[in-house]
Amino acid sequence: MKTLLVEDNPADVRLIREMLKELPAGTLQLQQVGRLDSAMELLRQEPFDVVLLDLGLPDAQGMETLTLIQKASRSVPIVVLTGRDDECLAWEALRTGAQDYLVKGRSDSQLVRAIRYAVERKQAEEEVRRLNAELEQRVIERTAQLQTTNQELLKEIADRKQAEQKFHGLLESAPDAVAVVNRKGEIVLVNVQLEKLFGYQRRELLGREIEILVPERFRGKHPEHRTAFAADARTRPMGSGLELYGLHKDGHEFPVEVSLSQLETHDGVLISSTIRDITDRKRAEEALRRSEAYLAEGQRVSHTGSFGWNVQTGDIRWSEETFRIFQCDPSVMPTVELVLQRTHPEDVTFVKQEIERASQDRKDLGFEHRLLMPDGSVKHVRVAGHAQTDNSGELEFVGAVTDITGAKRAEEALRRSEAYLAESQRLTHTGSWAWNPVADRMIYLSEEMFRIFGLDPQPILPSVAELRKRIHPEDHDRALKDVSQAVYDRRDYAVEFRIILRDGTVKHIQVLGHLVFDASGELIEVVGTHVDVTERKRAEEERERLRQLEADLVHVNRVSMLGELAASLSHELKQPIAAAIINADTCLRWLARAEPDAQEAREAATMAVQDVNRAAEVIDRLRSLYTKSAAAERELVDVKEVVREMIVLLRNEANRYSISIRLDLAADLPKVTADRVQLQQVLMNLMLNAIEAMKETGGVLTVKSEVDSDGRVRISVSDGGVGLPTEKADHIFNAFFTTKPQGSGMGLAISRSIVESHGGRLWATPNEGRGVTFQFTLPSPAEGARATAAGTTGKG
């Protein structure tokens, strides 16, 4: 037992050594130091079993010595040896940690016991420490095992929690609705997508049977399907080939797609249902079907088929319309050879070359050729294909085949139409054009426009200024002003002017312009025509000259008729004049009496005035017939009145030849719109001809009026004369044709011209017995007004 004695008194050191000799030899190994610092240094260097300590040292005194030694000895038993027998100090030393407190020289055996006790106690403490250490080690090992087990358990729990969190995260983040049910069909878990899809809150679904989400008509069979799946649980779609529907909380149904799978859990097997709303997909599929139908119909209507051709494999795919274009059964496999078989023999070489060129150059193809159908008909087609290369490097053409037979025919018809139009423009001297008034430039000129202006056709159109230079100086400003005003007023226009060609030729031009506006109302162009009316102008001038000659001829005809009526007219005038003279003489006699009779004289004078007025009326009628300057005016005329006037003029002429005049005039005969004088001339011509026909035989001249089935007024003049020679019946209305020795041959021609100018018709028919009937019709007042307007327009 290694003992450290800390004592500075040599006597006490010897005493203590003597006291310790009681111990068996070799039991004690004693080492002594006299200072506290030496003891502390030694304790730090060597291990000791017990320390004998004097509290009074040169470098330390009292309890401070014990405290410092305790710090340095580290659990080594300390026995305090002191010369002070102080109980309080002893208790304090023991409380501080001293093993024992002994007073020097009191008892040798106590010291030995104390040392022994200290050593045993140390040994016991060491054993306890060993046991404690062993126990601690066991505890540590067991604790480590428990900690390891606990960590594994915690890790498993954490893994499970993480897996659950991950599962819940995946469940909540899943794009589809998910419902998890147990074997009873009770819902144990749903995600937020299912809440949104079906309109329920989670708490409303948990614990409820899954059939709450199934339409009523499917609920009866659904538990049976659940049981069948549980018996053979594996991931698979539900209701394959069937249309499935979900039931929303608000009662409406929607199409769904359901996928089932099993989940192995500590609570047993659960069934997971992934539910997807396919409403949009159904709509997209329906839209796709409609789109495909529209595409097929569009291809059918436009006669455009599509195709795909893999050059390396030779695989060709055709749409339905392509089969129709080639008139092939859809069950037939399309090939290049089939295409060439259908190709017109004259185009086969060309088509082969185009196909080979496109395949070798790996470029787009496009060409037109003909097909020869089995029935012998020919089709024109246009082929367009886009070359593309897939990932494997194989060349494929994707394109369209369009039946352009109709377009070819239309093009040919258009070419013919353009040729006809150009020819018609040339024949009618009508040129067409288009003018941009904003840029003031010509957009288009037809070939006839170049001819009208005496220009050579050229790709570059002449400028507007160049064309305007050709306008006659006297018409230039007026024409441009009229066009500018029409454009400013945003209205169509018609302008006439003259142009002067390079060789000095003057042409009369009639221009029609039509303004074209876009959707916003902006003027974009003016289209129109130039008509060369030079010939028409000349014809109008000639017509005016002829019309004047015709008027002169009509006037001559009327004067000649008056010559024929000279005798009759002289009698017609002589009678009222003679009566006037007699009445005047009578008046004078009544006044010459011795007693003048004023009343009788007045009556005679009045009768004389009436006779003179009657003669004046006859003269006025005659003047209206032969006065050249009489104006041609059309008005509502009473035909019966005109007939009676002509009878008054011609009665004496008829009486000369024993011809009676009979009238058959309709009472309700409407008035007609006519020129009174011209109507008188027609009636006089016809009645004189009738009198002329019956000069030798006498007879009855009948004048009849009526309304025919078309509502027109019909006047007929019939005689009982010799009639018309059959061989000359077709010529009586020709100018200068006459059957009378001294006739001019113009009467009937002029009469027909007058009647037709009134919108009527004049013709002759032989009577059943002797004679002939001349008839003419005049339109109703409304028709007559239209005929008058047409006649006025024609004269203008």
Side-chain angles (χ1 to χ4, degrees):
M1 183 173 54
K2 193 174 182 179
T3 303
L4 174 64
L5 175 60
V6 183
E7 178 62 62
D8 62 332
N9 188 338
D12 290 337
V13 171
R14 286 194 299 274
L15 176 63
I16 291 170
R17 284 184 182 276
E18 286 296 327
M19 292 171 63
L20 293 177
K21 286 182 179 180
E22 295 181 6
L23 292 172
T27 303
L28 183 67
Q29 180 181 353
L30 183 65
Q31 194 170 348
Q32 181 267 331
V33 293
R35 294 178 59 84
L36 179 61
D37 53 0
S38 300
M40 292 176 66
E41 179 66 24
L42 195 60
L43 284 170
R44 282 193 291 270
Q45 294 178 358
E46 298 180 30
F48 288 89
D49 296 322
V50 66
V51 175
L52 302 177
L53 176 63
D54 184 10
L55 295 179
L57 297 173
D59 52 354
Q61 295 291 325
M63 292 305 297
E64 179 184 5
T65 306
L66 178 60
T67 301
L68 293 173
I69 285 296
Q70 276 183 323
K71 291 180 179 180
S73 63
R74 295 189 307 277
S75 74
V76 176
I78 300 173
V79 178
V80 176
L81 293 175
T82 180
R84 296 174 59 186
D85 188 5
D86 187 341
E87 187 174 353
C88 291
L89 182 61
W91 280 108
E92 185 178 358
L94 292 174
R95 282 197 303 273
T96 302
Q99 181 72 36
D100 208 346
Y101 185 89
L102 298 178
V103 179
K104 295 177 183 179
R106 176 167 301 178
S107 173
D108 298 338
S109 60
Q110 287 182 348
L111 177 60
V112 173
R113 276 200 312 276
I115 291 173
R116 284 179 177 172
Y117 175 73
V119 171
E120 290 175 358
R121 181 177 176 181
K122 180 181 179 182
Q123 290 176 347
E125 288 178 351
E126 287 179 352
E127 182 65 18
V128 169
R129 281 196 296 274
R130 186 186 66 76
L131 292 174
N132 283 340
E134 184 177 343
L135 180 61
E136 267 183 28
Q137 182 64 32
R138 290 180 180 177
V139 169
I140 289 172
E141 290 177 357
R142 183 60 178 164
T143 300
Q145 292 177 354
L146 291 175
Q147 285 178 343
T148 300
T149 303
N150 190 41
Q151 287 175 356
E152 291 175 354
L153 181 60
L154 290 175
K155 184 176 181 302
E156 183 179 351
I157 293 172
D159 290 344
R160 285 190 177 184
K161 285 184 178 181
Q162 185 177 5
E164 288 179 1
Q165 290 175 353
K166 186 175 181 180
F167 175 74
H168 282 284
L170 292 173
L171 188 67
E172 295 300 331
S173 62
D176 297 325
V178 178
V180 179
V181 301
N182 57 24
R183 286 186 173 271
K184 296 179 182 179
E186 297 170 343
I187 300 173
V188 298
L189 188 63
V190 297
N191 66 351
V192 67
Q193 298 298 335
L194 187 134
E195 293 180 290
K196 293 178 180 178
L197 181 59
F198 288 90
Y200 287 98
Q201 296 293 321
R202 201 169 301 214
R203 62 178 180 276
E204 298 178 276
L205 295 174
L206 297 179
R208 301 285 299 275
E209 290 186 346
I210 191 68
E211 281 74 22
I212 191 176
L213 306 179
V214 178
E216 186 70 32
R217 64 183 187 278
F218 298 131
R219 289 181 183 175
K221 290 284 187 180
H222 197 264
E224 181 182 336
H225 295 318
R226 278 197 290 103
T227 303
F229 177 79
D232 183 20
R234 54 188 172 85
T235 300
R236 64 174 183 265
M238 174 181 174
S240 180
L242 302 176
E243 290 191 352
L244 306 180
Y245 292 88
L247 180 64
H248 194 273
K249 184 180 179 181
D250 63 11
H252 83 269
E253 298 181 9
F254 54 93
V256 296
E257 185 179 75
V258 181
S259 178
L260 302 175
S261 60
Q262 66 171 350
L263 298 176
E264 296 286 346
T265 69
H266 61 282
D267 295 328
V269 176
L270 301 178
I271 300 173
S272 173
S273 303
T274 301
I275 306 168
R276 176 174 298 172
D277 181 358
I278 60 174
T279 302
D280 292 339
R281 191 175 77 189
K282 286 282 188 181
R283 290 173 182 162
E285 290 174 352
E286 179 60 27
L288 179 60
R289 282 193 292 271
R290 286 198 304 270
S291 177
E292 290 175 345
Y294 295 156
L295 177 60
E297 183 64 13
Q299 287 193 355
R300 187 186 67 79
V301 172
S302 64
H303 306 292
T304 300
S306 55
F307 70 88
W309 173 37
N310 186 305
V311 177
Q312 276 69 34
T313 64
D315 181 33
I316 297 179
R317 297 176 302 281
W318 282 357
S319 67
E320 291 183 9
E321 185 60 23
T322 307
F323 280 101
R324 277 194 289 269
I325 290 173
F326 280 83
Q327 293 185 8
C328 292
D329 191 285
S331 61
V332 175
M333 182 68 68
T335 61
V336 174
E337 289 72 21
L338 177 60
V339 173
L340 294 176
Q341 286 176 10
R342 279 286 191 266
T343 301
H344 194 284
E346 297 178 1
D347 296 345
V348 170
T349 302
F350 165 72
V351 173
K352 280 183 177 180
Q353 291 174 349
E354 287 297 313
I355 293 175
E356 292 173 357
R357 180 197 58 77
S359 302
Q360 293 171 1
D361 297 345
R362 305 176 77 87
K363 293 182 179 179
D364 295 351
L365 57 83
F367 57 88
E368 295 180 4
H369 68 99
R370 292 168 295 172
L371 301 178
L372 183 60
M373 298 294 103
D375 60 2
S377 62
V378 175
K379 286 185 179 180
H380 292 262
V381 295
R382 179 186 296 116
V383 180
H386 173 63
Q388 58 186 28
T389 305
D390 60 16
N391 295 331
S392 62
E394 292 186 346
L395 176 63
E396 184 177 20
F397 287 95
V398 178
V401 179
T402 304
D403 182 352
I404 59 172
T405 306
K408 285 291 186 180
R409 292 171 181 165
E411 288 176 3
E412 179 61 27
L414 178 61
R415 282 193 292 269
R416 288 197 303 269
S417 176
E418 289 176 344
Y420 296 155
L421 177 61
E423 183 64 15
S424 64
Q425 287 194 354
R426 188 185 65 80
L427 293 174
T428 60
H429 307 293
T430 302
S432 55
W433 49 266
W435 165 49
N436 184 335
V438 179
D440 195 24
R441 64 181 180 84
M442 300 308 298
I443 303 173
Y444 165 75
L445 289 178
S446 69
E447 291 185 8
E448 188 59 23
M449 280 292 293
F450 284 95
R451 281 193 288 268
I452 288 174
F453 279 83
L455 300 173
D456 295 328
Q458 52 188 335
I460 301 176
L461 300 179
S463 65
V464 176
E466 185 177 352
L467 296 177
R468 287 173 180 164
K469 286 180 182 178
R470 299 295 175 90
I471 301 176
H472 196 286
E474 296 178 2
D475 301 340
H476 184 275
D477 294 342
R478 173 187 56 78
L480 295 188
K481 180 180 178 182
D482 290 346
V483 172
S484 299
Q485 187 63 43
V487 173
Y488 179 80
D489 296 339
R490 299 167 68 86
R491 59 176 172 80
D492 295 348
Y493 58 86
V495 181
E496 289 193 11
F497 53 80
R498 293 166 293 171
I499 62 173
I500 304 177
L501 305 189
R502 291 173 180 171
D503 61 2
T505 303
V506 176
K507 289 184 178 181
H508 292 263
I509 305 297
Q510 183 185 68
V511 180
L512 297 177
H514 170 65
L515 279 63
V516 181
F517 303 91
D518 61 15
S520 62
E522 295 294 325
L523 176 62
I524 55 175
E525 65 181 8
V526 180
V527 296
T529 60
H530 274 48
V531 183
D532 183 354
V533 294
T534 306
E535 294 299 325
R536 192 183 75 188
K537 285 290 184 181
R538 292 172 182 166
E540 287 175 356
E541 293 172 358
E542 184 65 20
R543 249 194 329 270
E544 180 61 24
R545 188 179 68 81
L546 292 175
R547 189 191 67 78
Q548 187 60 44
L549 290 175
E550 182 182 356
D552 293 342
L553 186 59
V554 170
H555 178 69
V556 170
N557 177 257
R558 285 202 295 266
V559 173
S560 66
M561 285 192 301
L562 290 177
E564 295 179 21
L565 291 173
S568 176
L569 293 176
S570 64
H571 176 75
E572 186 72 17
L573 290 172
K574 183 178 180 181
Q575 189 178 31
I577 292 173
I581 292 172
I582 293 171
N583 286 320
D585 288 342
T586 302
C587 177
L588 290 174
R589 285 197 302 271
W590 285 111
L591 291 175
R593 294 179 64 178
E595 292 182 6
D597 191 339
Q599 178 63 29
E600 290 292 342
R602 185 180 297 109
E603 290 178 0
T606 300
M607 292 177 66
V609 170
Q610 291 176 350
D611 292 334
V612 171
N613 286 336
R614 187 158 57 91
E617 289 177 1
V618 173
I619 294 171
D620 286 340
R621 291 193 189 100
L622 294 174
R623 288 183 71 254
S624 69
L625 284 172
Y626 70 78
T627 302
K628 184 176 180 181
S629 60
E633 295 182 359
R634 293 191 182 183
E635 56 186 346
L636 285 177
V637 176
D638 186 345
V639 176
K640 293 185 292 183
E641 182 180 335
V642 174
V643 170
R644 290 190 180 102
E645 288 175 351
M646 291 300 99
I647 290 174
V648 170
L649 288 175
L650 301 175
R651 186 177 297 279
N652 288 332
E653 181 71 11
N655 290 338
R656 285 175 59 194
Y657 301 107
S658 301
I659 298 171
S660 63
I661 299 177
R662 185 170 69 85
L663 295 181
D664 183 9
L665 304 179
D668 56 349
L669 198 68
K671 292 183 178 182
V672 296
T673 302
D675 183 318
R676 189 182 193 90
V677 173
Q678 291 181 345
L679 190 55
Q680 289 173 341
Q681 184 174 351
V682 172
L683 280 168
M684 181 177 286
N685 262 322
L686 298 179
M687 292 173 73
L688 283 175
N689 285 345
I691 293 171
E692 179 72 22
M694 294 186 291
K695 275 184 178 181
E696 303 296 332
T697 61
V700 179
L701 189 158
T702 304
V703 180
K704 181 180 178 182
S705 68
E706 61 183 336
V707 178
D708 67 10
S709 59
D710 294 329
R712 296 185 168 213
V713 174
R714 180 187 294 174
I715 298 95
S716 60
V717 178
S718 301
D719 64 64
V722 295
L724 294 174
T726 305
E727 69 277 4
K728 299 180 179 179
D730 296 335
H731 304 290
I732 59 173
F733 292 104
N734 293 343
F736 306 112
F737 176 83
T738 181
T739 59
K740 296 183 288 186
Q742 280 123 17
S744 65
M746 293 301 297
L748 288 177
I750 291 173
S751 295
R752 171 175 273 188
S753 176
I754 291 173
V755 171
E756 290 180 349
S757 71
H758 282 72
R761 187 168 69 93
L762 172 62
W763 72 98
T765 56
N767 297 335
E768 291 184 1
R770 290 174 59 85
V772 65
T773 298
F774 285 87
Q775 301 179 75
F776 67 92
T777 57
L778 294 174
S780 62
E783 290 181 307
R786 287 196 293 271
T788 301
T792 304
T793 304
K795 291 177 182 179

